[in-house]
């Protein structure tokens, strides 16, 4: 039995992944001797309807001066965040008297759009290396973890915020109530807190189990976010599906009673209930579906190995750490992983230690098969590689099922 981080009720885990490394620990060290591991399992709290990890490594082991994820590696995501920023400018009628705060701004991919429109903004970003990139763009960054104290600091110096934004960050933070308390303090009377996260509904429907790794302590549904918001006198007044990260949801919150609640919220919550996202039983056969993917993928990789085919992987994602370690995929089956992020180059992937090489060498490696770990960027990557991935070269996908394309 575990204690829910949101409502403190007891809950059980529904999958135990065993020992897992830090998902973004792409390290120069080939030996696993000094690598940190934790017992990763995930459960469903029937009281507040939330899905969460039962334990998480210390935040300083995950977010630090060598954080390996740089948001701006995807041109699709750049466009996505530009649109997000523009929608917020319109919704909140933001101008040069407004203040926007972003929780977890990373390299500034979202905030630079506000800077371009002369709208004041602050980013709160604990990982120093990515915060520095944002600062170099001319953005104001507080290099720290967002908390009630940081919210007070911003409030005292600059006043209340008209929009508090976040993307793929709130689901990383176990002390969720402190975050909501900070937001509640900092948000203007008519302010909006908009955040988006990988969506539980998509994870379950698509069996995108690789969204489960150390950083993602929560997998939110609309129902669970509505419940947390209510605990802080906030209303969830709108929810919008997003196609990013294999299926995300954007949540819009305001102070209680400040905004009309869109009919979309109720409609989507009803969809969740019809699908069973509010019931423990829904999660029970999730692991069976994952094991089917494991079986199919391992069989395929073994067969290709026996045929003497060259198999490499594309995208050293955090998600790939769950896939390779849970399935036991080593460099015996997948020679190496190519990635565009300089900090990941000439390192070894966490746990299974598959070499990670610079993207510039991808085509030269002349693979027969390419296992796509960055499957959530498939449209962008397929387009980028269309002249190379001709008919004698094939992609291997594994979400929602193993497929060769
Ligand atoms: N918003 C970006 C980055 C997501 S990666 C995007 O969507 O691409 C998650 C980011 O959250 C990392 O940059 C990490 O350093 C940051 N983060 C983790 N815990 C945080 C906290 N408590 N407060 C603020 N940022 C946090
Ligand atoms: P992503 O799937 O966004 O994140 P996560 O770490 O949260 O699972 O990571 C994309 C990774 O794929 C990142 O390391 C950069 C890499 N990448 C490429 O190598 N080439 C590309 O064209 C794209 C879009 C990403």
């Amino acid at each position: 039995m575990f204690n829910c981080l949101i409502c403190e009720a007891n809950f059980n885990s529904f999958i135990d992944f065993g020992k897992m490394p830090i998902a973004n620990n792409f390290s120069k060290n080939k030996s696993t001797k000094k690598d940190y591991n934790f017992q990763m399992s995930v459960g469903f709290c029937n009281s507040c309807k939330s899905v969460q990890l039962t334990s998480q490594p210390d935040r300083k082991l995950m977010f630090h001066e060598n954080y390996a994820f740089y948001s701006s590696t995807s041109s699709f995501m750049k466009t996505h965040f530009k649109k997000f920023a523009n929608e917020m400018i319109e919704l909140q009628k933001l101008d040069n008297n407004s203040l926007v705060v972003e929780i977890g701004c990373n390299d500034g991919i979202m905030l630079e759009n506000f800077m371009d429109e002369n709208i004041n903004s602050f980013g709160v970003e604990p990982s120093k290396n990515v915060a520095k990139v944002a600062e170099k763009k001319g953005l104001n960054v507080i290099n720290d973890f967002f908390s009630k104290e940081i919210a007070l600091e911003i409030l005292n110096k600059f006043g209340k915020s008209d929009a508090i934004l976040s993307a793929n960050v709130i689901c990383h933070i176990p002390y969720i109530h402190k975050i909501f308390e900070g937001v509640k303090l900092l948000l203007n009377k008519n302010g909006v807190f908009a955040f988006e996260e990988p969506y539980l509904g998509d994870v379950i429907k698509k069996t995108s189990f690789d969204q489960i790794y150390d950083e993602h302590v929560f997998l939110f549904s609309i129902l669970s976010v509505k419940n947390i918001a209510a605990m802080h006198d906030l209303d969830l007044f709108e929810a919008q599906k997003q196609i990013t990260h294999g299926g995300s949801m954007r949540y819009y919150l305001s102070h209680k009673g400040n905004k009309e609640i869109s009919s979309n919220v109720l409609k989507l919550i009803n969809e969740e209930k019809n699908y069973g996202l509010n019931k423990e039983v829904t999660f029970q056969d999730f692991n069976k579906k994952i094991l089917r993917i494991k079986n199919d993928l391992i069989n395929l990789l073994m067969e290709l190995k026996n045929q003497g085919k060259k198999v490499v992987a594309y995208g050293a994602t955090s998600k790939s750490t769950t896939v390779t370690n849970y399935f036991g995929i080593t460099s015996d089956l997948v020679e190496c992983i190519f990635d565009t992020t300089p900090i990941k180059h000439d390192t070894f992937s966490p746990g299974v230690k598959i070499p990670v090489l610079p993207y510039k060498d991808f085509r030269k490696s002349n693979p027969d098969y390419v296992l796509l770990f960055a499957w959530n960027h498939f449209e962008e990557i397929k387009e980028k590689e269309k002249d190379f991935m001709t008919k004698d070269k094939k992609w291997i996908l594994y979400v929602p099922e193993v497929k060769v394309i």
Side-chain angles (χ1 to χ4, degrees), residues 166-179:
S166 196
N168 310 300
V169 176
I170 304 302
C171 71
H172 292 60
I173 310 178
Y175 42 96
I176 186 85
H177 293 305
K178 294 264 170 276
I179 299 298

Side-chain angles (χ1 to χ4, degrees), residues 292-307 333 402:
R292 195 175 314 142
I293 294 178
K294 174 181 181 177
N295 195 44
D296 292 349
L297 186 58
I298 297 292
N299 284 345
L300 173 65
L301 294 174
M302 298 277 272
E303 196 181 306
L304 295 176
K305 184 187 157 127
N306 291 338
Q307 290 171 10
L333 294 177
V402 176

